[in-house]
Amino acid sequence: MDSTATNHVTPDLNNVQVCSPYHSQDHVIVGNGRHLPFHNTDNGILPTPSFPFKLTNVLYVPHILSNLLLVHKLTSDNNRTVTFDDKSFVVQDKTTKIPLFRGIHSQGVYHWPSSSLHILSPQHSSAFYSYCFYFV
């Protein structure tokens, strides 16, 4: 678990809706201690076959290697729960407990598989983008 993470992070501008410029000296500190600047911040959407997940305050960090999802923000912004075991995770509706999405665990990381994920931003409404997301 990463208790110091505060935002979703992406290296791809297509994963945010409007991409508001962010003028600051702020940066993201990654596991190896490097400080990576972020240039933009905005919201995104993770459509799945069962539910479009809102992503708020996604940071655009061009030099980060992977998309990262902050579990706490994903669950609180979408009124969902996430349950992890040694092989997978399940996202459920918080009230009904109905499963909405299932992901996999591989090589020590929980993956939101790109084969079942399409990022859709309103400005690119006719295009779909597929990326793998990792949980932090």
Side-chain angles (χ1 to χ4, degrees), residues 4-20:
T4 61
T6 58
N7 294 81
H8 307 297
V9 178
T10 184
D12 189 337
L13 276 174
N14 290 318
N15 289 345
V16 291
Q17 294 175 341
V18 177
C19 205
S20 306

Side-chain angles (χ1 to χ4, degrees), residues 13-99:
L13 276 174
N14 290 318
N15 289 345
V16 291
Q17 294 175 341
V18 177
C19 205
S20 306
Y22 187 84
H23 304 288
S24 174
Q25 298 299 321
D26 291 343
H27 53 268
V28 173
I29 302 172
V30 294
N32 65 3
R34 287 188 58 204
H35 293 231
L36 304 177
F38 59 93
H39 302 289
N40 303 76
T41 181
D42 208 345
N43 299 323
I45 298 171
L46 289 177
T48 66
S50 59
F51 182 82
F53 292 91
K54 294 184 298 185
L55 301 178
T56 59
N57 299 319
V58 180
L59 302 180
Y60 167 57
V61 182
H63 299 294
I64 200 148
L65 298 178
S66 301
N67 296 296
L68 301 174
L69 289 176
L70 179 60
V71 175
H72 178 263
K73 285 187 74 60
L74 180 73
T75 58
S76 62
D77 290 346
N78 292 281
N79 196 34
R80 305 298 180 227
T81 62
V82 180
T83 305
F84 296 89
D85 64 29
D86 63 330
K87 293 187 175 37
S88 66
F89 69 91
V90 177
V91 181
Q92 295 175 293
D93 182 278
K94 193 173 192 174
T95 306
T96 66
K97 306 294 184 211
I98 294 172

Side-chain angles (χ1 to χ4, degrees), residues 93-119:
D93 182 278
K94 193 173 192 174
T95 306
T96 66
K97 306 294 184 211
I98 294 172
L100 301 171
F101 187 80
R102 180 178 304 275
I104 59 171
H105 177 266
S106 174
Q107 300 177 353
V109 179
Y110 290 93
H111 302 265
W112 194 293
S114 58
S115 62
S116 58
L117 169 67
H118 299 286
I119 308 292

